[in-house]
Amino acid sequence: MSVNKSHDAYQPFTSTSEYIASPELKMAVNAAIKLARPLLIKGEPGTGKTLLAEQVAKHLGLPLIQWHIKSTTKAQQGLYEYDAVSRLRDSQLGDEKVHDISNYIVPGKLWQAFTHEQQTVLLIDEIDKADIEFPNDLLLELDRMEFYVYETQQLIKAKQRPIVIITSNNEKELPDAFLRRCFFHYIQFPDEAAMRDIIAVHFPDIASKLVKEALEIFFDIRNVPGLKKKPSTSELIDWIKLLLADEVPLSVLREKDNSKAVPPLYGALVKNEQDLHLLERLAFMARRR
C-alpha cells in the first residue's frame, strides 16, 4: 500500500522556546520522520518524553492525537470499539438507528490519525503499561497503515502516514518484533549544564546564584545511595517554582549543615516516606559524627 509520507518539506526538528532537545534527540526525531518509522522514546519518568510529542507537533504545525495507555488498554481500542450495550439498549427502546451498525462503531486514536484531513503526530504514551502482547497487536496496523472493520466491512486506510511517537518508562521489556520496526532513542538524564538550559527556559529571569544552589541540592539528593525514587526534571522545576513563590532566602539553600539533609519544601522533590526516612537517617548519622 502506498501512503503519502510528505516529510521532505519539513524543517528539521530543533529545540524550541519551551523544550531543550539534545543533539542526539533531535537526530532521532528527524531520522524517524525521514524513515517513516515509529519513534520509540525511553527514559526516566519526568525527562520530557510526552512533552516531546507536543513540541514536535507544534514545531511542524500538525495536529497532535494522544493515546495514553493504561494497564487495561487493549490494542483494539486504538482501532475502534463496537458499542454492543448501546445497540441493545436502543433496540429495546425501538430506536431505528439500530438497523445501521455503523452508529455503534466508535473510532479509536489510530482511526482518527489515519482519517484526519491533515497529517498528524500520534502519541502512544507509556506503551509499557499495557499487556505484553499490546505492542505486537499493533504491528500490522502500524506497518501497513490500514485495518479492517469487520462489523461494517470497511477498510480504513491512512490518508497520510502519521508521525508516530511511542514512549516507555522501561517498566517491562518490549517484544523484539516491535523493536525492529521502531527508531529507538533513550533520553539520558540531563547533566548540570543541560539542566541550567532547561531551567532558563522555564525561569528566564532567575538569579544564577539560586540556580547554582538549587542544582547542587538536587543532584546531591539524586546521588544518595538507595533512593527509591530519584527526583526528575519536572520535579526540579516544581521545586524551583515553590522556592521563588515562597521567597526562600538563598542563605537557607546555602546552609551546608549535614544535619539538615532534608531541603526546604522537600515535598516537591521527595515523593515517598521511604526516601524521606532515608534522608532523615543520613541527617541523624551526620549529627552523631
Side-chain angles (χ1 to χ4, degrees):
M1 170 194 164
S2 176
V3 178
N4 182 13
K5 299 176 184 178
S6 65
H7 300 320
D8 294 335
Y10 291 150
Q11 292 296 319
F13 175 72
T14 62
S15 295
T16 70
S17 60
E18 303 167 52
Y19 191 91
I20 301 298
S22 68
E24 295 79 12
L25 178 56
K26 289 183 279 191
M27 181 278 295
V29 171
N30 293 316
I33 292 174
K34 281 285 185 183
L35 294 172
R37 294 264 186 177
L39 173 62
L40 174 61
I41 296 289
K42 290 187 178 183
E44 284 186 36
T47 49
K49 299 185 297 296
T50 302
L51 184 59
L52 171 66
E54 298 172 7
Q55 292 301 309
V56 169
K58 185 174 181 179
H59 174 81
L60 299 177
L62 299 177
L64 174 65
I65 294 177
Q66 303 186 56
W67 187 14
H68 299 288
I69 307 303
K70 301 177 182 178
S71 60
T72 55
T73 304
K74 302 299 180 185
Q76 178 64 33
Q77 293 171 299
L79 308 180
Y80 67 93
E81 293 185 86
Y82 169 46
D83 190 354
V85 174
S86 293
R87 193 180 189 197
L88 175 60
R89 184 188 63 239
D90 289 344
S91 67
Q92 292 170 339
L93 296 173
D95 196 317
E96 284 297 315
K97 72 178 185 178
V98 299
H99 300 298
D100 184 355
I101 196 171
S102 65
N103 290 320
Y104 304 95
I105 301 297
V106 182
K109 299 297 185 181
L110 265 72
W111 186 327
Q112 295 172 31
F114 285 4
T115 58
H116 201 286
E117 289 304 315
Q118 276 184 275
Q119 187 177 31
T120 64
V121 174
L122 172 63
L123 169 65
I124 304 177
D125 198 27
E126 298 190 332
I127 194 171
D128 52 325
K129 280 188 175 180
D131 183 87
I132 189 62
E133 291 304 319
F134 179 93
N136 279 339
D137 290 343
L138 287 177
L139 285 180
L140 189 63
E141 289 75 18
L142 291 177
D143 266 352
R144 295 188 177 179
M145 287 287 133
E146 65 181 37
F147 62 88
Y148 194 72
V149 183
Y150 293 95
E151 290 81 356
T152 60
Q153 299 182 11
Q154 288 175 277
L155 182 64
I156 304 298
K157 294 186 177 183
K159 294 181 178 180
Q160 296 188 77
R161 180 181 289 270
I163 296 169
V164 181
I165 297 178
I166 302 169
T167 72
S168 169
N169 287 328
N170 244 356
E171 291 183 7
K172 63 169 70 83
E173 288 297 319
L174 298 174
D176 288 345
F178 180 79
L179 294 174
R180 282 197 299 271
R181 288 163 169 82
C182 296
F183 193 95
F184 169 75
H185 181 73
Y186 184 88
I187 296 182
Q188 298 288 347
F189 196 84
D191 59 17
E192 185 170 331
M195 198 65 85
R196 286 178 182 275
D197 292 337
I198 292 170
I199 292 171
V201 166
H202 292 271
F203 309 102
D205 300 321
I206 192 170
S208 60
K209 292 181 180 178
L210 175 58
V211 173
K212 178 180 180 298
E213 300 300 332
L215 282 179
E216 188 171 319
I217 292 172
F218 174 76
F219 281 107
D220 281 350
I221 292 176
R222 278 188 58 88
N223 291 331
V224 170
L227 207 64
K228 184 177 180 181
K229 166 70 173 72
K230 293 182 179 182
S232 67
T233 306
S234 60
E235 288 156 348
L236 172 63
I237 297 303
D238 287 344
W239 184 52
I240 292 177
K241 188 181 298 182
L242 288 174
L243 293 176
L244 293 172
D246 286 16
E247 298 181 344
V248 174
L250 196 59
S251 59
V252 174
L253 296 182
R254 281 178 171 160
E255 177 60 64
K256 301 303 180 185
D257 184 351
N258 287 332
S259 68
K260 297 177 181 177
V262 180
L265 301 167
Y266 67 85
L269 295 174
V270 183
K271 296 298 184 177
N272 60 67
E273 63 277 13
Q274 295 99 316
D275 288 345
L276 177 59
H277 293 160
L278 175 60
L279 293 177
E280 289 173 340
R281 283 199 300 274
L282 291 175
F284 175 75
M285 293 168 63
R287 287 195 295 271
R288 290 287 298 271
R289 290 197 293 270

